[in-house]
Amino acid sequence: MPKGHPMQRHLITSAIPYINGIKHLGNLVGSQLPADLYARYLRARGHEVLFLCATDEHGTPAELAAAKAGKPVAEYCAEMHAVQADIAKGFGLSFDHFGRSSSPQNHTLTQHFAGRLADAGLIREVSEQQVYSNADGRYLPDRYIEGTCPNCAYDKARGDQCENCTKQLDPTDLINPRSAISGSTDLEVRETKHLYLRQSALKDDLDAWIDSKTDWPILTTSIAKKWLHDGDGLQDRGITRDLDWGIPVRRGNEDWPGMEGKVFYVWFDAPIEYIACAGEWADANGDADWERWWRTDKGADDVRYTQFMGKDNVPFHTLSFPATILGSGEPWKMVDHLKSFNYLTYDGGQFSTSQGRGVFMDQALEILPADYWRWWLLSNCPETSDSEFTWELFQQGVNKDLADVLGNFVSRVTKFCRSKFGETVPSGGTYGDRETALIEELQARVTRYGALMEAMEVRKSAQELRAIWVAGNEYLQAAAPWATIKVDEAQAAMQIRMAFNLIRLYATISSPFIPTASDRMQSSLGMESADWPEDVASALSSVQAGQTFAVPENLFAKISDDDRADWQSRFAGTRG
RNA sequence: GGCGCGGUAGCUCAGUUGGUUAGAGCGAUCGACUCAUAAUCGAUAGGUCGGGAGUUCAAGUCUCCCCCACGCCA
């Protein structure tokens, strides 16, 4: 462990993606990818990291997707979890565990929390009217009821709101209501009982807690504050549903009289999976101790917990989930920093899962390696405002940064050396003024890069990293070993040795962004991965004369205009 | 409709608590170099900081009004 950087413990979670289908690039860049960047960086600095993610599996959309696929919902979810896990792996997402909100661990924990909340008087029972569809054999959530809007006569208004005139509706307002699932009009209103979490009773606690988070992004606190203070303030929320697929409502280990056949609502059990996932991780790894990550009375008081999510998820993470934890009265670790992202747009519009618009994760990996996507998405991530994906911007960014600046640097250095000195780093010469100046510049830049990564300034980190790559080309251009070698072979050998050291430095510090290419750079030198270059001067003398190397062919191939045009038209339509 | 985030060079974006001639990358133009993935390096051009009013010795940066885009509304 380098001096001045005592080891820290970091718990990192990414918003958990919903199970029904493959996520698009907007989902990826909004939480999983930046979370992975941060996790990889902290590990590279020698910190202890537990990085968790999972699939969010409960709720009506999962049931419907399973029905559409003609499979039992449990089987469907198991399959889709495997698919998502595989794709996550393809993108190099370095989760310590990729869990499932349907896990036994989450069942137990969710029921436990509900019991604690009930004991604390924070759960109340509410009787309400719900629409039941006889044809579908199930209760219908408001948005799954369609009918004619009483306000504007639009005939596809949903039970919660009319998309045409935006009027908020109650399902019973609709004229000629029908099931959006089957189209059946055989509907009836039934009386059903549900549990509500009394978030309103926790409003002041939540308010004080949010106020204590002075270093959170404005986007985050403003959303939380709005929900806390808007109108009548924070509203109680139903935490149960009349569904089959979900976590059965139980009060801890005991039955909950009157709640038979009901399950917890997905928004209640999904965030609890963050905790349960640590339990899954522990069980999958020979009973590792997971409570030291989550219980402040069992060692988690020195853990720094960071959550990553898209802005649409902020209310759940700043209010609902904290309400669950605070209300339990137990010493669970609460989030320290919450990093939220805006949306990535696709060619001027929205990425859309339901409409199949944009590029989906599996398709992205079919056409290009993960590093291309990782680099472009992260260096252009929607950090302070929405940002746009277009094929032209993507092609431009990838070709320039990865192929021309970095890839070509590696190429020119290794090929020059091979032709003049052979496939061994040459000896001779010693670093002079130009090298000292370069080391000084890079020391400053690498330090700044580290500080930006630490602060999760994603775009700025990428900018600084790029500037570090550029510095290598600047050096080479100024030193001009191809000219030096004609007059002073030892001097040229020294210059090219410096260049090899730069390659190794780049491999190390670039790995959070482009892990695969970093590995290739590292292994082309036949050396083990280096420690973080705390001291750039020593890092830049770690590759020594006599070290053999191999020329890595085309670290990054360029995206041609034909490719771009091809993909542009291929992804313009909707996904089949 | 309410609320939220934005509107800075052709494009994508930086601009800390208001303070000297408003910055970067890409693109464009010119030049250098020739080791390299027709790559690289340097230089130049380009903006009345959405519009208007106000506070101030001083405003892209604060206040008010307006316009535009996007998003959210359990």
Side-chain angles (χ1 to χ4, degrees):
Chain A
M1 183 57 43
K3 282 183 178 174
H5 288 266
M7 184 164 90
Q8 302 158 5
R9 298 179 61 217
H10 287 269
L11 173 62
I12 300 170
T13 59
S14 160
I16 65 178
Y18 199 68
I19 191 71
N20 70 336
I22 292 161
K23 305 298 112 177
H24 53 62
L25 296 181
N27 299 128
L28 177 66
V29 76
S31 58
Q32 292 178 327
L33 199 48
D36 182 67
L37 180 77
Y38 191 52
R40 283 176 178 274
Y41 169 73
L42 292 173
R43 289 193 197 105
R45 296 304 298 263
H47 300 308
E48 189 180 0
V49 171
L50 184 64
F51 176 28
L52 302 174
C53 192
T55 40
D56 176 10
E57 306 193 355
H58 296 132
T60 308
E63 291 186 315
L64 296 181
K68 194 175 171 190
K71 289 174 181 164
V73 63
E75 187 183 324
Y76 171 82
C77 286
E79 281 177 17
M80 286 310 300
H81 176 266
V83 168
Q84 292 208 22
D86 195 46
I87 293 173
K89 203 172 172 184
F91 271 97
L93 302 176
S94 59
F95 307 133
D96 288 295
H97 190 76
F98 187 58
R100 305 180 58 185
S101 70
S102 62
S103 68
Q105 291 89 341
N106 198 35
H107 277 235
T108 303
L109 200 57
T110 298
Q111 290 163 345
H112 167 80
F113 270 108
R116 292 287 306 186
L117 291 165
D119 292 346
L122 291 168
I123 302 276
R124 63 187 168 89
E125 295 189 1
V126 175
S127 244
E128 54 191 23
Q129 311 278 314
Q130 285 262 308
V131 173
Y132 186 85
S133 165
N134 288 304
D136 296 305
R138 60 184 299 151
Y139 283 93
L140 296 176
D142 291 355
R143 67 175 190 278
Y144 285 105
I145 304 159
E146 283 181 355
T148 302
C149 176
N151 189 47
C152 70
Y154 178 61
D155 67 354
K156 284 182 186 142
R158 300 194 319 195
D160 53 347
Q161 184 179 32
C162 174
E163 285 178 349
N164 190 47
C165 67
T166 74
K167 185 177 170 61
Q168 305 272 335
L169 299 171
D170 194 81
T172 51
D173 295 338
L174 293 171
I175 300 163
N176 300 324
R178 60 184 182 275
S179 163
I181 299 168
S182 61
S184 167
T185 55
D186 183 12
L187 307 178
E188 63 181 68
V189 176
R190 290 188 182 178
E191 179 100 3
T192 179
K193 200 163 69 173
H194 282 293
L195 302 181
Y196 272 64
L197 173 61
R198 296 180 57 218
Q199 296 186 140
S200 55
L202 293 162
K203 184 183 162 227
D204 292 341
D205 290 340
L206 290 168
D207 214 0
W209 177 65
I210 303 258
D211 280 338
S212 74
K213 303 299 178 187
T214 51
D215 60 339
W216 283 11
I218 296 171
L219 179 68
T220 303
T221 47
S222 68
I223 292 173
K225 284 287 182 183
K226 188 210 159 202
W227 281 50
L228 275 171
H229 300 295
D230 204 35
D232 298 330
L234 191 61
Q235 300 296 298
D236 295 346
R237 287 201 65 168
I239 61 167
T240 56
R241 284 291 184 272
D242 291 293
L243 293 177
D244 297 325
W245 175 238
I247 297 175
V249 176
R250 289 173 65 85
R251 186 169 176 157
N253 296 320
E254 293 159 23
D255 290 339
W256 204 312
M259 301 305 292
E260 295 81 5
K262 297 176 194 288
V263 300
F264 287 108
Y265 187 28
V266 59
W267 79 254
F268 184 69
D269 76 61
I272 294 173
E273 168 62 12
Y274 287 144
I275 305 176
C277 188
E280 294 176 49
W281 162 76
D283 292 345
N285 289 279
D287 289 321
D289 178 8
W290 66 271
E291 289 189 319
R292 64 190 280 270
W293 289 100
W294 273 107
R295 292 282 296 224
T296 57
D297 59 335
K298 295 179 182 174
D301 46 341
D302 67 342
V303 168
R304 180 169 164 81
Y305 177 23
T306 307
Q307 293 177 337
F308 288 80
M309 73 201 69
K311 60 184 172 185
D312 52 328
N313 261 319
V314 170
F316 296 106
H317 291 79
T318 54
L319 303 169
S320 302
F321 185 41
T324 300
I325 291 181
L326 283 172
S328 76
E330 294 175 328
W332 297 101
K333 176 72 193 166
M334 289 183 67
V335 66
D336 293 300
H337 197 83
L338 195 151
K339 176 85 176 172
S340 58
F341 290 84
N342 290 279
Y343 293 139
L344 182 71
T345 61
Y346 181 78
D347 244 344
Q350 289 187 46
F351 273 89
S352 167
T353 302
S354 57
Q355 290 169 35
R357 180 181 155 77
V359 186
F360 290 76
M361 286 172 71
D362 56 339
Q363 301 171 322
L365 289 178
E366 278 167 26
I367 62 176
L368 286 170
D371 282 354
Y372 288 65
W373 299 105
R374 291 179 63 103
W375 172 256
W376 192 88
L377 290 170
L378 287 167
S379 61
N380 294 279
C381 74
E383 209 163 13
T384 54
S385 63
D386 290 355
S387 67
E388 184 173 33
F389 175 92
T390 68
W391 286 101
E392 195 178 351
L393 286 169
F394 177 67
Q395 178 197 27
Q396 231 169 47
V398 163
N399 285 355
K400 191 69 186 175
D401 299 347
L402 295 182
D404 295 348
V405 175
L406 178 61
N408 180 55
F409 177 79
V410 173
S411 180
R412 67 196 296 206
V413 169
T414 53
K415 286 183 180 171
F416 176 80
C417 186
R418 183 174 60 184
S419 73
K420 305 295 181 189
F421 298 100
E423 292 183 76
T424 305
V425 177
S427 61
T430 51
Y431 288 172
D433 289 349
R434 180 177 285 122
E435 287 70 31
T436 304
L438 174 66
I439 287 168
E440 201 173 312
E441 182 197 343
L442 287 182
Q443 181 68 62
R445 286 195 181 281
V446 168
T447 302
R448 196 177 316 135
Y449 172 61
L452 290 167
M453 290 290 275
E454 193 92 42
M456 290 169 270
E457 292 274 7
V458 181
R459 293 178 80 125
K460 287 180 182 172
S461 298
Q463 268 178 30
E464 192 60 54
L465 179 58
R466 201 196 113 103
I468 291 170
W469 295 341
V470 167
N473 281 313
E474 288 173 0
Y475 169 76
L476 223 50
Q477 205 64 32
W482 50 88
T484 310
I485 197 167
K486 292 171 185 165
V487 294
D488 184 346
E489 191 170 319
Q491 181 79 349
M494 178 276 288
Q495 291 169 342
I496 214 66
R497 206 160 58 240
M498 167 59 92
F500 272 103
N501 273 285
L502 288 172
I503 291 175
R504 186 156 195 245
L505 178 84
Y506 294 168
T508 305
I509 67 173
S510 304
S511 64
F513 280 92
I514 46 174
T516 309
S518 286
D519 283 350
R520 283 186 65 197
M521 289 162 72
Q522 196 72 252
S523 61
S524 75
L525 285 167
M527 296 176 76
E528 290 178 8
S529 58
D531 287 337
W532 194 263
E534 203 72 44
D535 177 35
V536 171
S538 66
L540 288 182
S541 56
S542 70
V543 181
Q544 297 180 348
Q547 178 68 50
T548 57
F549 68 92
V551 174
E553 204 51 54
N554 268 30
L555 204 53
F556 296 101
K558 286 201 194 194
I559 297 171
S560 69
D561 290 347
D562 285 348
D563 289 335
R564 188 197 59 181
D566 185 32
W567 297 332
Q568 191 149 18
S569 63
R570 175 172 160 194
F571 295 105
T574 58
R575 187 186 174 92

